[in-house]
Amino acid sequence: MNIKILSRNSSLYSTRRLVEAAKKRGHHVEVIDPLKCDLIIEKKKPSIFYKGKILGETDAVIPRIGASITFYGTAVVRQFEMNGVFTTTTGQSLMRSRDKLRSLQILSRARLGLPKTIFTNYSKDVGEVIAHVGGAPLIIKLLEGTQGLGVVLAETQNAAESVIEAFNGLQARVIVQEFIKEAGGADIRAFVVDGQVVGAMKRQGKEGEFRSNLHRGGIASLIELSDEEEAAAIKAAKAMGLGVAGVDMLQSSRGPLILEVNSSPGLEGIEAATGKDIAKSIIRYIERHS
């Protein structure tokens, strides 16, 4: 098969591993920078112009679209879809996953466990907002934040009020979530491919850090999911329409609580923690559906 990987950097670990896995299984693979694609939209066959020529036959696409290029990257994915090309992440599911508020609404509709969350239109009644999630400590998240950036733990009522008022003053959209103390600064990343969990890791934040992101110094270790956690991860990926997803959740006294469903999950941490060939699982997913 002819496989295209949409990635801005061919030297990134995840991109390199996908190239290796595809070649090992006898496929022709090419890394395409989505920002260098020109989209030709016309009545007959919509096409993609790349590096001075029309892109040739493509059987499948693996989008590795960073958050900063979501709009244009999604347009490129849709252009491939318009030509009947199989993509591991559709344009629609990519856009859904990048909208934190919409994602939470979709997950809520699917009856999945979530930390209690409130979103308002810059409400001046900050005390009421805080009360809705059970008071401080609480988590405040910028809607556009990624990799733990734009996430604040407000430990007291005064701190929470000050941070929310500051964000409101800057007209920065935020969501306010309850703090799950029993999670102990750790979360779980379940990697779902084609409706199956192919690997899972527990990420523990470094001492004094409530965020467990590996980019923030967190440490990953292998974990065996409970039946409830595995079912929640699979259901979350399905609700978001994602064939490949990194489902982040907290362990709580009321069961797994979904934090986020990532449409371009990195492979380095999960492969190191589990020792599994996740890239191969993604290529085999393509083989089953292309």
Side-chain angles (χ1 to χ4, degrees):
M1 287 193 299
N2 288 308
I3 299 173
K4 302 287 192 297
I5 300 173
L6 299 180
S7 172
R8 297 220 62 209
N9 188 346
S10 59
S11 66
L12 292 175
Y13 178 91
S14 298
T15 304
R16 285 191 288 106
R17 286 288 297 115
L18 288 165
V19 169
E20 289 169 9
K23 286 182 175 178
K24 266 188 182 178
R25 296 187 65 80
H27 304 301
H28 179 269
V29 60
E30 185 179 2
V31 179
I32 299 292
D33 182 345
L35 293 190
K36 293 181 180 176
C37 291
D38 296 326
L39 309 182
I40 301 171
I41 303 166
E42 57 185 346
K43 182 178 180 180
K44 293 183 180 179
K45 187 175 182 182
S47 53
I48 299 173
F49 204 71
Y50 184 73
K51 289 188 175 179
K53 61 180 181 180
I54 298 291
L55 273 182
E57 183 182 346
T58 303
D59 298 303
V61 169
I62 305 174
R64 299 290 309 172
I65 306 296
S68 63
I69 63 164
T70 297
F71 177 78
Y72 198 80
T74 301
V76 175
V77 173
R78 284 197 301 260
Q79 193 83 349
F80 279 107
E81 289 181 275
M82 287 164 66
N83 283 312
V85 175
F86 175 77
T87 175
T88 57
T89 304
T90 66
Q92 183 183 48
S93 60
L94 178 59
M95 288 298 290
R96 281 177 174 176
S97 72
R98 292 291 160 78
D99 184 334
K100 280 191 175 69
L101 182 61
R102 178 69 179 128
S103 295
L104 290 170
Q105 290 173 325
I106 290 168
L107 296 170
S108 173
R109 186 175 63 192
R111 298 291 187 265
L112 282 153
L114 302 166
K116 191 170 183 180
T117 303
I118 183 167
F119 176 69
T120 72
N121 189 40
Y122 309 120
S123 172
K124 290 184 170 59
D125 195 346
V126 174
E128 185 175 289
V129 170
I130 294 169
H132 276 308
V133 295
L138 53 78
I139 302 294
I140 302 163
K141 294 181 180 179
L142 278 172
L143 283 180
E144 293 81 18
T146 60
Q147 297 178 350
L149 297 172
V151 181
V152 177
L153 168 62
E155 299 195 61
T156 67
Q157 180 85 10
N158 286 342
E161 289 178 359
S162 295
V163 173
I164 295 170
E165 287 169 356
F167 279 135
N168 284 351
L170 294 169
Q171 292 198 318
R173 295 285 187 186
V174 297
I175 54 176
V176 179
Q177 287 186 327
E178 67 174 314
F179 177 64
I180 308 300
K181 185 178 180 180
E182 61 265 33
D187 73 3
I188 293 171
R189 161 67 62 89
F191 208 107
V192 180
V193 178
D194 198 15
Q196 299 293 323
V197 174
V198 296
M201 63 179 172
K202 187 170 186 176
R203 303 181 297 188
Q204 180 70 54
K206 62 184 180 181
E207 191 173 349
E209 174 61 76
F210 72 96
R211 293 166 295 185
S212 58
N213 305 70
L214 301 186
H215 292 86
R216 313 298 301 173
I219 298 171
S221 59
L222 179 66
I223 186 174
E224 185 172 340
L225 299 182
S226 68
D227 290 345
E228 188 180 12
E229 289 162 350
E230 184 171 348
I234 292 168
K235 189 175 181 181
K238 183 179 180 180
M240 295 296 294
L242 290 167
V244 175
V247 181
D248 297 341
M249 55 186 142
L250 296 175
Q251 293 176 308
S252 80
S253 57
R254 58 183 193 265
L257 303 178
I258 307 295
L259 286 175
E260 185 177 9
V261 183
N262 193 313
S263 55
S264 293
L267 301 183
E268 187 168 10
I270 193 76
E271 289 196 335
T274 64
K276 293 183 177 179
D277 191 340
I278 305 296
K280 179 181 176 181
S281 296
I282 294 172
I283 301 304
R284 293 185 66 183
Y285 167 44
I286 290 172
E287 292 169 350
R288 289 192 294 271
H289 292 272
S290 294

